[in-house]
Amino acid sequence: MIQYKLLTPGPLTTTESVKKVMMEDHCTWDDDYKQITQKIRKNLLKLAHVSEEDYTVVLMQGSGSFGVESVLTSVVGEEDKLLIVANGAYGERMTDIADHAKLSYAVYRVDYDQVPSAQKVEEILKGDPAITHVAMVHSETTSGILNDIASVSKVVKAAGKTMIVDAMSSFAGVDIQVEELGIDFLISSANKCIQGVPGFSLILCNRKKLIESQGKARSLSLDLYDQWETMEKDGKWRFTSPTHTVLAFAKAMEELEEEGGIQARSKRYYDNNRLLIQKMKELGIRTYIGEEHQGPIITTFFYPEHCNFSFQEMYEYIKERGYAIYPGKVTDADTFRIGNIGEIYEEDILKLCGIFKSFFDKMR
Ligand SMILES: *Cc1c(COP(=O)(O)O)cnc(C)c1O
């Protein structure tokens, strides 16, 4: 089997040391194990810049979407109405979740290469007082755009509504002042910027709003309040916990600290992302998102002009040389994507761009 590094935005390439801690089996009701869960929850509060008094953390089995579904279906009650802000596939997934759970909701849609406007959100809230909650994606992994959660949160708070952010692919890769921004629920997962392996999602919750949600959940397994109530006691997960993933995550959090915290990690991601864009530009490859809104996590590139090849051909060529890239996901153009989160360094970006150059030369 060919070994390759992942240039996909989760799962991503993890360190040997993170993988190694999964060699141990742990008992789920053992005190040492429960302490690991508690330590993770405490450290996540720090990474989010929130106080333990006002915020708490729930870990939920499953991939990131399970976390988003857990929040939407647990906190938006029968009498409530949700406004979903969507400029990509992950925003659209929230509408899908809302449909399945029969939530009352409205959608504010924006083109995939544009950021949603806070002013427009403000107008929608004014025009529809029934709306109680607003949900949006921070880093839309579909395109790579980084949405302005600060300005949207501000108008949502001013209107007295609950703010929900899917920060799946940005949390810990981009610094987010969760409490200062007034975000009530923020969702991320184990296999994104904290650089763990897949298996659970994490939810930063405003304590008061979480407690208010008791009894509203439409699902048993994804009941956010119930999961929290059990976990808050002593770190026990309500149902079988993804033990190996939890160990890997605890190790990944230590390594984030060793790297220099979010600041250092964010700088590495930004530097590598900007280097990648620069090098691709030299090859005549343009980005789908304009520089102002391009995030540091993943980049959508247009296919070069006058080249005739399939994504599969390009993918195989690059994979044979040690890297896995991602197909495009925007619907209005021929594109491919490159993620640069995980154990990816400047040398990888330079090597990758060399591989692209030889591939395009061959195809021209
Ligand atoms: C990764 C991701 C998710 C979750 O996707 P899963 O496949 O369920 O892990 C949700 N939102 C965004 C923005 C993401 O990048």
Side-chain angles (χ1 to χ4, degrees), residues 86-87 110-116 143 145 147 288-289 293:
N87 64 334
V110 183
D111 288 343
Y112 282 19
D113 60 349
Q114 303 291 320
V115 295
S143 63
I145 202 165
N147 289 329
Y288 176 78
I289 300 297
H293 298 301

Side-chain angles (χ1 to χ4, degrees), residues 14 55-56 88 131 133 149 179 209 235 244 248 254 293 324 356:
T14 56
Y55 281 80
T56 186
I131 295 171
H133 296 67
I149 47 172
E179 189 156 13
K209 301 233 168 167
H244 300 81
E254 279 173 33
H293 298 301
F356 269 113

Side-chain angles (χ1 to χ4, degrees), residues 2-3 316-323 351 355 358:
I2 307 169
Q3 287 291 319
E316 293 297 341
Y317 186 90
I318 294 168
K319 181 181 158 191
E320 278 165 24
R321 287 155 185 81
Y323 295 95
K351 198 170 151 204
I355 299 167
S358 62

Side-chain angles (χ1 to χ4, degrees), residues 253-272:
M253 285 193 90
E254 279 173 33
E255 293 183 0
L256 169 60
E257 188 70 35
E258 283 158 22
E259 184 174 349
I262 293 177
Q263 251 188 344
R265 179 153 299 175
S266 184
K267 182 175 187 309
R268 171 162 65 89
Y269 288 174
Y270 264 104
D271 288 350
N272 287 337

Side-chain angles (χ1 to χ4, degrees), residues 63-65 90 93 137 139 141 166 168-169 192:
S63 79
S65 302
Y90 292 100
R93 187 169 297 172
V137 175
S139 162
T141 320
D166 167 352
M168 206 71 64
S169 67
K192 303 255 174 157

Side-chain angles (χ1 to χ4, degrees), residues 9-161:
L12 36 65
T13 297
T14 56
T15 60
E16 285 296 318
S17 37
V18 161
K19 287 188 269 271
K20 223 166 162 181
V21 294
M22 292 189 284
M23 296 302 287
E24 263 181 56
D25 299 314
H26 268 255
C27 171
T28 56
W29 51 264
D30 173 85
D31 276 338
D32 292 342
Y33 178 72
K34 288 192 288 193
Q35 282 315 308
I36 297 173
T37 295
Q38 296 303 60
K39 192 172 167 197
I40 287 173
R41 294 176 65 221
K42 225 181 169 84
N43 286 339
L44 285 170
L45 293 172
K46 278 190 214 145
L47 292 184
H49 311 284
V50 297
S51 66
E52 195 165 353
E53 213 183 320
D54 296 324
Y55 281 80
T56 186
V57 175
V58 183
L59 307 181
M60 181 64 79
Q61 294 92 334
S63 79
S65 302
F66 291 61
V68 177
E69 186 153 8
S70 170
V71 172
L72 298 186
T73 62
S74 297
V75 311
V76 181
E78 305 265 350
E79 312 291 318
D80 299 329
K81 183 171 180 181
L82 173 68
L83 172 65
I84 298 170
V85 178
N87 64 334
Y90 292 100
E92 291 300 331
R93 187 169 297 172
M94 294 204 247
T95 67
D96 213 358
I97 290 169
D99 282 332
H100 277 81
K102 302 190 167 54
L103 305 183
S104 166
Y105 74 97
V107 193
Y108 161 36
R109 284 200 172 83
V110 183
D111 288 343
Y112 282 19
D113 60 349
Q114 303 291 320
V115 295
S117 138
Q119 197 190 330
K120 181 80 187 162
V121 171
E122 191 176 24
E123 284 165 22
I124 295 170
L125 294 178
K126 276 212 180 94
D128 187 352
I131 295 171
T132 50
H133 296 67
V134 177
M136 77 181 284
V137 175
H138 185 209
S139 162
E140 238 310 346
T141 320
T142 311
S143 63
I145 202 165
L146 194 65
N147 289 329
D148 181 2
I149 47 172
S151 61
V152 174
S153 297
K154 206 167 164 187
V155 301
V156 171
K157 284 295 101 182
K161 315 293 182 185

